Amino acid sequence: LMRFAYRRGYAAFDAFDFAALKIRDASRRDTFTLDEYDSLVKALNTYVSKSSCGDGNDQQQRLMIRDCILIGSNTMLRVGELWQLTWADIVEYSKHTNDAGHAVTLVAIKVRAETAKTRKAILITVRGGEYFQRLYARTQFKDKSDYIFHGTTGKDRLSKRVLYDA
Protein backbone atom coordinates (compact mmCIF):
# COMPACT_ATOMS: atom_id res chain seq x y z
CA LEU A 1 0.00 0.00 0.00
CA MET A 2 2.80 2.42 0.89
CA ARG A 3 4.71 1.64 -2.31
CA PHE A 4 1.58 2.38 -4.32
CA ALA A 5 1.08 5.67 -2.43
CA TYR A 6 4.77 6.55 -2.92
CA ARG A 7 4.65 5.84 -6.68
CA ARG A 8 1.56 8.02 -7.04
CA GLY A 9 3.13 10.83 -5.00
CA TYR A 10 0.68 10.52 -2.07
CA ALA A 11 3.42 9.65 0.46
CA ALA A 12 7.00 10.82 0.96
CA PHE A 13 8.34 7.36 1.81
CA ASP A 14 7.82 3.91 0.30
CA ALA A 15 7.67 1.66 3.39
CA PHE A 16 7.21 1.65 7.15
CA ASP A 17 10.15 0.67 9.34
CA PHE A 18 8.77 -1.90 11.82
CA ALA A 19 10.83 -4.00 14.20
CA ALA A 20 11.02 -7.65 13.19
CA LEU A 21 8.39 -9.90 14.79
CA LYS A 22 9.63 -12.69 17.01
CA ILE A 23 7.76 -15.93 16.39
CA ARG A 24 7.87 -18.39 19.24
CA ASP A 25 8.64 -22.04 18.68
CA ALA A 26 5.62 -23.39 16.79
CA SER A 27 6.36 -26.97 17.82
CA ARG A 28 5.65 -26.18 21.51
CA ARG A 29 1.94 -26.17 22.38
CA ASP A 30 0.47 -24.81 25.57
CA THR A 31 0.22 -28.20 27.23
CA PHE A 32 2.24 -29.63 30.09
CA THR A 33 5.30 -31.73 29.46
CA LEU A 34 5.53 -34.89 31.58
CA ASP A 35 8.04 -33.21 33.90
CA GLU A 36 5.83 -30.12 34.26
CA TYR A 37 2.82 -32.30 35.02
CA ASP A 38 4.77 -34.27 37.64
CA SER A 39 5.87 -30.97 39.25
CA LEU A 40 2.25 -29.78 39.24
CA VAL A 41 1.03 -32.95 40.96
CA LYS A 42 3.81 -32.73 43.56
CA ALA A 43 3.01 -29.08 44.32
CA LEU A 44 -0.72 -29.84 44.60
CA ASN A 45 -0.06 -32.72 47.00
CA THR A 46 1.97 -30.36 49.19
CA TYR A 47 -0.84 -27.77 48.95
CA VAL A 48 -3.41 -30.23 50.35
CA SER A 49 -1.22 -31.82 53.02
CA LYS A 50 -2.47 -31.58 56.61
CA SER A 51 0.56 -29.53 57.62
CA SER A 52 -0.34 -26.86 54.99
CA CYS A 53 -4.03 -26.66 55.90
CA GLY A 54 -5.74 -25.10 58.87
CA ASP A 55 -9.02 -26.72 59.84
CA GLY A 56 -10.86 -29.61 58.19
CA ASN A 57 -13.03 -27.31 56.04
CA ASP A 58 -9.93 -25.64 54.62
CA GLN A 59 -8.48 -29.00 53.66
CA GLN A 60 -11.74 -30.14 52.03
CA GLN A 61 -11.82 -26.97 49.95
CA ARG A 62 -8.17 -27.42 48.97
CA LEU A 63 -8.83 -31.03 47.96
CA MET A 64 -11.65 -29.84 45.70
CA ILE A 65 -9.39 -27.17 44.15
CA ARG A 66 -6.64 -29.75 43.59
CA ASP A 67 -9.04 -32.09 41.83
CA CYS A 68 -10.43 -29.19 39.78
CA ILE A 69 -6.93 -28.34 38.53
CA LEU A 70 -6.13 -31.97 37.77
CA ILE A 71 -9.46 -32.48 35.99
CA GLY A 72 -8.87 -29.35 33.94
CA SER A 73 -5.40 -30.47 32.94
CA ASN A 74 -6.62 -33.94 31.93
CA THR A 75 -9.87 -33.01 30.19
CA MET A 76 -8.84 -29.70 28.58
CA LEU A 77 -12.27 -28.29 29.46
CA ARG A 78 -12.50 -24.53 29.77
CA VAL A 79 -12.89 -23.06 33.27
CA GLY A 80 -16.48 -22.01 32.54
CA GLU A 81 -17.33 -25.51 31.36
CA LEU A 82 -15.73 -27.04 34.45
CA TRP A 83 -17.54 -24.65 36.77
CA GLN A 84 -20.94 -25.57 35.39
CA LEU A 85 -20.52 -29.36 35.49
CA THR A 86 -23.13 -31.22 37.47
CA TRP A 87 -23.13 -34.89 38.42
CA ALA A 88 -25.72 -35.44 35.66
CA ASP A 89 -23.03 -34.49 33.12
CA ILE A 90 -20.89 -37.49 34.07
CA VAL A 91 -22.12 -40.22 31.75
CA GLU A 92 -19.90 -43.21 32.55
CA TYR A 93 -16.52 -44.45 33.71
CA SER A 94 -14.45 -47.11 32.01
CA LYS A 95 -11.20 -48.83 32.93
CA HIS A 96 -8.48 -49.21 30.32
CA THR A 97 -4.80 -50.05 30.15
CA ASN A 98 -2.47 -47.55 28.50
CA ASP A 99 0.52 -48.40 26.29
CA ALA A 100 2.80 -48.61 29.33
CA GLY A 101 0.54 -51.20 30.96
CA HIS A 102 -0.87 -48.88 33.66
CA ALA A 103 -4.56 -48.87 34.55
CA VAL A 104 -6.34 -45.69 33.47
CA THR A 105 -9.88 -44.60 34.33
CA LEU A 106 -11.60 -42.79 31.49
CA VAL A 107 -14.69 -40.67 31.98
CA ALA A 108 -17.37 -39.71 29.47
CA ILE A 109 -18.51 -36.13 30.05
CA LYS A 110 -21.50 -34.47 28.45
CA VAL A 111 -20.75 -30.79 27.85
CA ARG A 112 -24.14 -29.13 27.57
CA ALA A 113 -24.80 -26.65 24.76
CA GLU A 114 -25.59 -23.84 27.19
CA THR A 115 -22.22 -24.25 28.92
CA ALA A 116 -20.05 -24.85 25.83
CA LYS A 117 -18.26 -21.96 24.17
CA THR A 118 -19.46 -23.09 20.74
CA ARG A 119 -23.05 -23.53 22.00
CA LYS A 120 -23.08 -27.10 20.71
CA ALA A 121 -23.46 -30.10 23.00
CA ILE A 122 -20.61 -32.60 22.85
CA LEU A 123 -19.73 -35.86 24.53
CA ILE A 124 -16.05 -36.33 25.31
CA THR A 125 -14.21 -39.32 26.74
CA VAL A 126 -11.03 -38.35 28.52
CA ARG A 127 -8.55 -39.37 31.20
CA GLY A 128 -9.06 -38.32 34.80
CA GLY A 129 -12.02 -40.42 35.81
CA GLU A 130 -10.33 -41.22 39.12
CA TYR A 131 -10.48 -37.53 40.07
CA PHE A 132 -14.25 -37.42 39.57
CA GLN A 133 -14.61 -40.64 41.57
CA ARG A 134 -12.48 -39.19 44.35
CA LEU A 135 -14.60 -36.01 44.43
CA TYR A 136 -17.81 -38.04 44.48
CA ALA A 137 -16.62 -40.14 47.41
CA ARG A 138 -15.69 -37.01 49.41
CA THR A 139 -18.77 -34.87 48.76
CA GLN A 140 -22.08 -34.92 50.57
CA PHE A 141 -23.85 -33.37 47.56
CA LYS A 142 -24.44 -36.30 45.18
CA ASP A 143 -27.73 -35.33 43.56
CA LYS A 144 -27.72 -35.21 39.74
CA SER A 145 -28.44 -31.46 39.82
CA ASP A 146 -25.64 -30.65 42.30
CA TYR A 147 -22.56 -28.92 41.00
CA ILE A 148 -19.36 -30.96 41.05
CA PHE A 149 -17.38 -27.94 42.24
CA HIS A 150 -19.91 -26.75 44.77
CA GLY A 151 -20.16 -24.14 47.48
CA THR A 152 -21.87 -24.73 50.79
CA THR A 153 -25.16 -26.19 49.52
CA GLY A 154 -24.35 -28.18 46.38
CA LYS A 155 -26.80 -26.01 44.41
CA ASP A 156 -24.30 -23.14 44.34
CA ARG A 157 -20.92 -23.15 42.66
CA LEU A 158 -17.60 -22.75 44.39
CA SER A 159 -16.56 -19.14 43.98
CA LYS A 160 -13.99 -18.63 41.22
CA ARG A 161 -12.31 -16.16 43.56
CA VAL A 162 -11.52 -19.10 45.87
CA LEU A 163 -9.76 -20.89 43.03
CA TYR A 164 -7.92 -17.79 41.84
CA ASP A 165 -6.74 -16.95 45.37
CA ALA A 166 -5.53 -20.52 45.99
Side-chain angles (χ1 to χ4, degrees):
L1 177 67
M2 284 308 297
R3 283 192 203 117
F4 173 79
Y6 180 72
R7 282 194 312 266
R8 295 282 177 113
Y10 301 133
F13 54 92
D14 67 341
F16 291 107
D17 186 23
F18 290 115
L21 294 175
K22 294 179 182 176
I23 299 174
R24 66 184 185 126
D25 182 11
S27 65
R28 169 81 166 129
R29 296 194 56 181
D30 289 336
T31 56
F32 293 122
T33 64
L34 291 177
D35 290 336
E36 290 170 338
Y37 187 78
D38 289 342
S39 296
L40 174 68
V41 171
K42 185 177 179 182
L44 288 172
N45 287 336
T46 302
Y47 173 71
V48 300
S49 67
K50 289 188 181 192
S51 60
S52 297
C53 300
D55 60 359
N57 290 338
D58 185 38
Q59 187 178 30
Q60 288 301 316
Q61 193 173 49
R62 285 181 179 218
L63 288 167
M64 187 184 314
I65 290 168
R66 175 197 62 187
D67 289 338
C68 177
I69 292 169
L70 292 173
I71 287 169
S73 67
N74 279 278
T75 63
M76 300 302 289
L77 289 173
R78 295 175 180 91
V79 174
E81 293 167 343
L82 275 176
W83 236 242
Q84 297 179 59
L85 282 178
T86 62
W87 290 114
D89 296 327
I90 305 303
V91 177
E92 69 177 348
Y93 299 101
S94 57
K95 300 268 187 198
H96 291 276
T97 305
N98 64 12
D99 294 339
H102 299 102
V104 178
T105 303
L106 301 180
V107 60
I109 303 170
K110 176 178 56 178
V111 180
R112 291 171 276 133
E114 63 268 16
T115 64
K117 180 180 178 182
T118 59
R119 297 295 180 226
K120 293 181 182 174
I122 57 171
L123 180 69
I124 59 171
T125 302
V126 291
R127 295 178 43 156
E130 64 272 12
Y131 305 128
F132 285 102
Q133 291 172 333
R134 191 163 61 188
L135 272 169
Y136 190 79
R138 244 190 347 261
T139 188
Q140 60 187 7
F141 305 111
K142 299 180 181 192
D143 191 50
K144 292 279 189 189
S145 63
D146 289 337
Y147 287 107
I148 293 175
F149 304 106
H150 58 80
T152 56
T153 66
K155 304 295 182 207
D156 61 332
R157 290 185 290 239
L158 182 67
S159 166
K160 286 185 186 177
R161 178 61 44 207
V162 172
L163 177 66
Y164 298 153
D165 288 345

